[in-house]
Amino acid sequence: CWTTPILSQAGTPLGTFAIYQREVGSPTPLQTDLIGRFTHIASIAVERAQAEEALRRSQAQLARAQRLSTTGSFSYRAATDELTLSEETCRICGFDLGQSVSPGAMRDRIHPEDLPLFLNMLGSAGRQFEFDCRVQLQDSTITYLHVVADAVRDDAGGLVEWIGAIRDVTERRRAEEERRRHEAILSEAERLSLTGSSCWRPPSDELIWSKEMFRIFDFDPHLTPTVDMVRARIHPEDLPHFNHTVECA
């Protein structure tokens, strides 16, 4: 039995190549040459298989990270008008996984009101753009996106490729809209009931007021209220009670 280690290009052992024969003896020069060739070919095959497996793991991890963070990636090559989308980008924008998506199909997904901004960004001479836009899916569902991209340009400044990421911020936008709606309802309820609301944080002496509080105390709503400003509005007969409340806070 003759054995020879299979080494990587860096000299790391990858395995062992062995030849068995019925009779005891040393390998001939031809056999030695063949062993050297076989181990070299085997090292190339093993390293390629390891690299492909590492690439598959990396792609799977990236796809999972994008899915968990609802963030996809894309690239657009200007010379060939070629658009490449990640799986998560396809999911966010309502395209079938593995489907070849043309730039025109992507433009058709952009909400008409946001399309001019989107096209202006793509045609700009800058090296980066970042903006929010809406996409309209085939079932008319609206999805809100945050888009950021970097431009790859040649030495003459010509556009080679846009490489970017999109994030589905629909839930965040809906939460913001719901918060604003609740704030509007509360503000209207306070106005109708002549009731204001406030929050005082003694450590920082910060006062947070509703709009109705500014109206009740007759302060400019653009001012930052302070305890001293409120004290100046308190009737002299009620001032001791106010001061006692402040001191006990």
Side-chain angles (χ1 to χ4, degrees), residues 197-209:
S197 59
S198 67
C199 172
W200 178 40
R201 295 173 177 169
S204 61
D205 206 29
E206 179 185 11
L207 272 177
I208 301 173
W209 277 10

Side-chain angles (χ1 to χ4, degrees), residues 98-119:
Q99 174 185 354
S100 178
V101 181
S102 68
M106 188 66 208
R107 283 193 291 269
D108 290 341
R109 283 284 195 270
I110 304 297
H111 193 282
E113 294 178 2
D114 299 332
L115 187 58
L117 175 62
F118 177 77
L119 296 177

Side-chain angles (χ1 to χ4, degrees), residues 9-225:
Q9 292 184 345
T12 304
L14 300 173
T16 301
F17 182 81
I19 295 181
Y20 294 84
Q21 68 176 18
R22 296 179 180 275
E23 300 177 357
V24 177
S26 300
T28 65
L30 176 60
Q31 290 172 329
T32 301
D33 180 64
L34 290 175
I35 291 172
R37 292 174 184 269
F38 290 155
T39 54
H40 177 65
I41 294 173
S43 70
I44 294 175
V46 171
E47 286 194 293
R48 178 175 296 174
Q50 290 179 340
E52 290 175 350
E53 177 60 26
L55 178 60
R56 282 193 293 270
R57 287 198 304 269
S58 177
Q59 289 175 335
Q61 291 171 353
L62 175 61
R64 185 174 184 180
Q66 289 193 355
R67 178 175 58 82
L68 292 173
S69 63
T70 61
T71 302
S73 57
F74 69 90
S75 66
Y76 171 70
R77 296 191 65 84
T80 58
D81 197 33
E82 179 185 3
L83 180 66
T84 303
L85 308 179
S86 70
E87 289 186 1
E88 186 62 15
T89 300
C90 287
R91 187 197 66 77
I92 292 172
C93 297
F95 295 112
D96 294 334
L97 299 183
Q99 174 185 354
S100 178
V101 181
S102 68
M106 188 66 208
R107 283 193 291 269
D108 290 341
R109 283 284 195 270
I110 304 297
H111 193 282
E113 294 178 2
D114 299 332
L115 187 58
L117 175 62
F118 177 77
L119 296 177
N120 180 62
M121 288 291 185
L122 285 180
S124 68
R127 291 192 174 273
Q128 186 180 75
F129 69 75
E130 182 174 3
F131 68 104
D132 291 337
C133 69
R134 293 162 291 177
V135 295
Q136 188 167 344
L137 308 185
Q138 288 184 325
D139 61 0
S140 298
T141 300
I142 299 296
T143 299
Y144 292 87
L145 305 181
H146 181 71
V147 185
V148 59
D150 282 328
V152 179
R153 299 187 179 276
D154 56 27
D155 294 338
L159 178 64
V160 176
E161 184 178 22
W162 280 110
I163 299 175
I166 67 170
R167 185 177 183 186
D168 185 348
V169 294
T170 304
E171 292 303 318
R172 188 188 73 187
R173 288 292 298 267
R174 288 175 178 168
E176 291 174 351
E177 291 174 356
E178 186 69 8
R179 177 181 58 80
R180 286 194 292 267
R181 188 176 71 86
H182 283 217
E183 288 176 348
I185 293 173
L186 176 61
S187 178
E188 181 66 9
E190 288 188 345
R191 186 185 66 82
L192 293 174
S193 64
L194 303 179
T195 303
S197 59
S198 67
C199 172
W200 178 40
R201 295 173 177 169
S204 61
D205 206 29
E206 179 185 11
L207 272 177
I208 301 173
W209 277 10
S210 67
K211 291 181 179 179
E212 189 63 16
M213 285 291 288
F214 284 97
R215 192 198 66 78
I216 291 172
F217 279 87
D218 193 26
F219 284 140
D220 184 340
H222 297 97
L223 294 177
T224 300

